[in-house]
C-alpha cells in the first residue's frame, strides 16, 4: 500500500512529456522543432538589446566648472605679480632674477624665455600680462577634459592676438599653458542614469515559431535564446524535484500510518 501511494504521488512528475535535457553550450544531436505555434516575450533577447543600448551611451561629463576657471585665473595673476616683482628688483642681477623665476611652481620657464621676459620694456610686459589673462579666460570657458588637456594646450598659440610679435606671443602661450586645467569630469551617476534610460526605452522583443519550424539544427550549439524557446515550448527535461520526492515519501508514510 505504501508503495502504491508513493508512486501515485511521485510518478506524474517523472512521466511528463519532455524526454530530453538540454543545456546552454551543448551541441544538439538532432533537429529540434516546435511542436506547436507559439509567440512569447524573449527575456534573453530583450536583455541583450538593452545591454547593447546601454553600451551605446557615451560617457557623460559634468559641465565646465567656473570655480576652477576663477581659481586658475587667480593663480596666473599671482604668478604675473611675482614676475613683475622680480623684474622690478633693482638689486638683483639678471642671473639672480633667472634663478628667482625658476622657483615658480606652476610654470617652468627655460633660461632663454626667462631672459627675454626680464629684458622686455614695461609696455610690452603689460601687453603680455593682459593677453595672457584674456587667453586663459577664453580657454577655461571651454570644456576641458583630462584626456584632452594636452590637445587644448597645443591650441593655445592660435588664440594669442596677432598684434603681438611672435617672440612675445610665444611667451604668452607658455605662461597660459601652465594654468590650463581640466574643468569637466566623468560623471558615473549621470552616465549610469542615461544607460538605465536607454535600457528602459527598449521595447520587449517577441519570438514566434510555427508548428514544425526548426528551433535548433543538429550540430548547432544551444544558446541561451534557444534554451529559452525550448523552455517556452516545454521541450526541456525539468530538473528533478528532490523536495517533492521527500514530501511524497513523508506524505505516503503518514497516509500508511
Amino acid at each position: 500500500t505504501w508503495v502504491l501511494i508513493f508512486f501515485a504521488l511521485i510518478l506524474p512528475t517523472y512521466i511528463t512529456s519532455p524526454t530530453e535535457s538540454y543545456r546552454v553550450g551543448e551541441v544538439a544531436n538532432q533537429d529540434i522543432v516546435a511542436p506547436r505555434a507559439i509567440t512569447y516575450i524573449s527575456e534573453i533577447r530583450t536583455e541583450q538589446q538593452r545591454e547593447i543600448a546601454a553600451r551605446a551611451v557615451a560617457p557623460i561629463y559634468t559641465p565646465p566648472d567656473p570655480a576652477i576657471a576663477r581659481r586658475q585665473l587667480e593663480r596666473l595673476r599671482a604668478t604675473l605679480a611675482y614676475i613683475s616683482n622680480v623684474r622690478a628688483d633693482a638689486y638683483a642681477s639678471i642671473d639672480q632674477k633667472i634663478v628667482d623665476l625658476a622657483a615658480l611652481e606652476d610654470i617652468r620657464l627655460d633660461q632663454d624665455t626667462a631672459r627675454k621676459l626680464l629684458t622686455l620694456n614695461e609696455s610690452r610686459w603689460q601687453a603680455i600680462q593682459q593677453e595672457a589673462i584674456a587667453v586663459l579666460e577664453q580657454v577655461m570657458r571651454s570644456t576641458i577634459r583630462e584626456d584632452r588637456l594636452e590637445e587644448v594646450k597645443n591650441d593655445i598659440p592660435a588664440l594669442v592676438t596677432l598684434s603681438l610679435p611672435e617672440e612675445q606671443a610665444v611667451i604668452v602661450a607658455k605662461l597660459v599653458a601652465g594654468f590650463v586645467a581640466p574643468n569637466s569630469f566623468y560623471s558615473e551617476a549621470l552616465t549610469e542614469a542615461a544607460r538605465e534610460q536607454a535600457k528602459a526605452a527598449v521595447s520587449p522583443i517577441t519570438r514566434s515559431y510555427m508548428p514544425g519550424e526548426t528551433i535548433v539544427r543538429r550540430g548547432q550549439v544551444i544558446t541561451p535564446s534557444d534554451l529559452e524557446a525550448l523552455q517556452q515550448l516545454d521541450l526541456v527535461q525539468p530538473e528533478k524535484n528532490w523536495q517533492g520526492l521527500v514530501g511524497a515519501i513523508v506524505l505516503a508514510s503518514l497516509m500508511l500510518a
Side-chain angles (χ1 to χ4, degrees):
T1 304
W2 185 92
V3 174
L4 292 176
I5 294 172
F6 170 75
F7 277 104
L9 290 171
I10 202 63
L11 192 59
T13 304
Y14 288 84
I15 61 173
T16 51
S17 55
T19 58
E20 295 290 339
S21 178
Y22 302 106
R23 291 182 177 84
V24 173
E26 289 185 348
V27 177
N29 55 14
Q30 62 182 1
D31 288 348
I32 308 174
V33 299
R36 65 180 188 278
I38 188 173
T39 297
Y40 63 94
I41 293 176
S42 173
E43 297 294 339
I44 297 293
R45 293 204 171 186
T46 301
E47 187 59 29
Q48 288 173 345
Q49 288 301 312
R50 285 172 179 164
E51 289 302 322
I52 291 173
R55 288 195 297 270
V57 174
I60 297 177
Y61 291 78
T62 59
D65 186 350
I68 296 177
R70 293 189 180 95
R71 182 192 68 199
Q72 294 306 104
L73 282 167
E74 286 304 314
R75 292 175 67 177
L76 173 59
R77 289 191 180 98
T79 296
L80 295 175
Y82 175 83
I83 295 174
S84 293
N85 289 335
V86 172
R87 280 170 47 86
D89 189 351
Y91 299 100
S93 65
I94 288 292
D95 291 337
Q96 180 58 50
K97 291 180 179 181
I98 291 175
V99 172
D100 292 340
L101 292 182
L104 287 167
E105 295 182 358
D106 293 309
I107 56 175
R108 292 291 180 265
L109 299 174
D110 58 79
Q111 289 194 6
D112 184 57
T113 301
R115 189 175 298 274
K116 291 176 181 177
L117 192 153
L118 291 169
T119 56
L120 288 169
N121 62 43
E122 190 60 26
S123 63
R124 290 295 187 183
W125 170 235
Q126 290 297 328
I128 286 176
Q129 291 186 79
Q130 294 172 7
E131 183 64 12
I133 292 172
V135 171
L136 181 61
E137 183 174 359
Q138 180 181 352
V139 172
M140 293 302 298
R141 285 183 182 276
S142 62
T143 300
I144 306 173
R145 299 171 185 167
E146 291 179 313
D147 58 345
R148 293 190 60 247
L149 183 58
E150 290 305 315
E151 178 185 343
V152 172
K153 288 183 178 181
N154 291 335
D155 292 339
I156 291 174
L159 302 176
V160 180
T161 178
L162 298 177
S163 63
L164 284 177
E166 183 177 356
E167 191 175 79
Q168 295 167 28
V170 170
I171 294 176
V172 170
K174 289 183 177 181
L175 289 171
V176 172
F179 297 91
V180 175
N183 59 8
S184 176
F185 304 92
Y186 171 71
S187 172
E188 185 174 355
L190 293 176
T191 303
E192 285 303 317
R195 287 172 179 168
E196 290 301 322
Q197 187 175 1
K199 285 183 179 182
V202 175
S203 301
I205 297 175
T206 60
R207 295 191 71 184
S208 298
Y209 288 98
M210 298 299 293
E213 184 176 351
T214 301
I215 302 171
V216 184
R217 296 192 179 277
R218 179 181 178 181
Q220 288 185 337
V221 176
I222 296 175
T223 66
S225 180
D226 296 331
L227 184 62
E228 181 186 45
L230 299 178
Q231 291 170 338
Q232 291 290 330
L233 288 162
D234 300 323
L235 296 176
V236 178
Q237 178 75 32
E239 294 291 334
K240 297 295 187 291
N241 187 351
W242 298 109
Q243 291 182 342
L245 178 62
V246 173
I249 293 173
V250 173
L251 183 57
S253 299
L254 290 174
M255 292 179 67
L256 180 61

